[in-house]
Amino acid sequence: LRLVGVESGSPIGVWRAVGRYVVPSLLGNITFGIFGLIDYLWPLWDPLGQRIVDKMMRSVVVSVRS
């Protein structure tokens, strides 16, 4: 698996990766965990299989064959 930018298809970089980790933690704490639950379930009905935080950070997880 690889985390890449939606527009470029290249790795997202350090700051967006840190944001992808920090933003859901902060929003989860503010909403008493409700955001985390919705964020983890979101890929079930999203056409690209993205979490909400992936949409915020303009990233997508792709499968890479070796």
Side-chain angles (χ1 to χ4, degrees):
L1 296 176
R2 183 175 290 178
L3 183 63
V4 297
V6 173
E7 308 90 20
S8 65
S10 61
I12 63 170
V14 173
W15 293 115
R16 281 177 38 192
V18 168
R20 189 176 181 269
Y21 177 77
V22 171
V23 169
S25 298
L26 292 175
L27 291 175
N29 288 334
I30 292 169
T31 62
F32 303 104
I34 294 171
F35 177 79
L37 178 64
I38 294 170
D39 188 39
Y40 286 124
L41 293 175
W42 197 266
L44 296 174
W45 58 80
D46 184 71
L48 294 176
Q50 290 176 296
R51 292 172 43 197
I52 296 171
V53 71
D54 285 327
K55 292 183 177 299
M56 295 166 91
M57 298 295 150
R58 297 179 326 269
S59 63
V60 65
V61 177
V62 295
S63 178
V64 178
R65 296 184 188 251
S66 56

